[in-house]
Amino acid sequence: VQLQASGGGVVQAGESLRISCAASGDRFSAHVMGWYRQAPGKERELVASITSSGRIDYGEFVKGRFTISFYAKNAVYLQMDSLKPEDTGVYYCQADGANWYRGREFWGQGTQVTVSS
């Protein structure tokens, strides 16, 4: 199973960015997909997650600025609006498997998001 993340980059504070993640693998189906981030010197934290049934959770810091959604089977967008310098970090895609892959967790390689002030 591979998770391919894309769409990171450098933006100014207040601007928007959309990152995407697609999971692929033999008979793979995701129960949950999500985004975590890690800033230098800080622990990895949950940004947003979405289940196959549509339940969504956001980190407390999101405060309505980000939106996670499926755009295809096993593929999610994270739309980030009103970005702040403190949103800078490496964003990692994560998936919990279902069916054949139940109980297994997978991670993507990470994509850098830099917000300048």
Side-chain angles (χ1 to χ4, degrees):
V1 176
Q2 291 187 327
L3 273 63
Q4 183 65 48
S6 62
V10 181
V11 297
Q12 299 277 343
E15 293 184 340
S16 299
L17 195 64
R18 187 176 71 180
I19 55 179
S20 62
C21 174
S24 61
D26 183 33
R27 290 174 289 183
F28 180 75
S29 182
H31 168 57
V32 184
M33 292 191 72
W35 289 95
Y36 289 74
R37 72 183 188 185
Q38 188 165 21
K42 295 188 176 181
E43 293 186 353
R44 192 173 294 190
E45 60 182 348
L46 172 70
V47 178
S49 67
I50 182 169
T51 71
S52 56
S53 60
R55 173 179 169 171
I56 293 175
D57 289 301
Y58 292 105
E60 289 187 4
F61 59 86
V62 170
K63 292 181 170 36
R65 300 181 298 127
F66 298 174
T67 303
I68 189 171
S69 61
F70 282 108
Y71 67 89
K73 181 177 171 62
N74 301 328
V76 292
Y77 284 135
L78 181 68
Q79 175 68 38
M80 301 183 287
D81 300 318
S82 302
L83 282 161
K84 305 175 182 179
E86 51 264 44
D87 292 318
T88 294
V90 179
Y91 284 66
Y92 295 94
C93 181
Q94 182 268 350
D96 290 336
N99 304 325
W100 282 95
Y101 296 91
R102 185 177 179 183
R104 295 181 63 182
E105 182 181 59
F106 303 92
W107 290 87
Q109 81 282 11
T111 185
Q112 177 71 43
V113 173
T114 302
V115 185
S116 60
S117 57

